[in-house]
Amino acid sequence: MQLQVVAPTIGSQACQEQLIEAAKMVAQSVEGVVDQAASVTHDEHLLQDLGAAATAVTEALNNLLKHIKLGAGPSKVGRVFYCYYPMFSNAKK
């Protein structure tokens, strides 16, 4: 699965706000999953793996927020940014 973010979208204030709110919701969901997992298992290996995955998601969200903050200048209009998520590579398109 590829995610496309078009530069003019990032340049739109309304779209920026929606992306930021979506990122916050994802972060809250990840935190909820980590908290729930910690309450149902004490398997240190599983919790460490989950923590590593949660950290990777957090880093990706931070990168997205940085990208949103920078916005897209006029020279970048029409440019498409691709993100590849290997965990979804087997998903039906």
Side-chain angles (χ1 to χ4, degrees):
M1 177 177 163
Q2 290 184 342
L3 172 67
Q4 297 180 12
V5 179
V6 181
T9 300
I10 298 293
S12 163
Q13 181 67 33
C15 290
Q16 288 176 4
E17 290 171 8
Q18 289 178 352
L19 286 168
I20 290 168
E21 283 305 309
K24 287 179 184 178
M25 290 171 57
V26 170
Q28 290 171 349
S29 294
V30 168
E31 185 178 336
V33 168
V34 170
D35 290 344
Q36 187 67 26
S39 72
V40 297
T41 186
H42 298 290
D43 184 325
E44 205 55 41
H45 180 69
L46 291 176
L47 293 174
Q48 286 177 351
D49 286 349
L50 181 59
T55 298
V57 171
T58 300
E59 289 173 0
L61 291 173
N62 286 335
N63 288 338
L64 175 62
L65 293 173
K66 286 178 193 173
H67 185 71
I68 293 168
K69 186 176 179 179
L70 293 175
S75 64
K76 296 179 183 175
V77 171
R79 182 174 172 189
V80 178
F81 299 91
Y82 294 93
C83 299
Y84 179 69
Y85 294 95
M87 68 186 98
F88 298 116
S89 63
N90 294 328
K92 293 182 181 179
K93 294 179 181 179

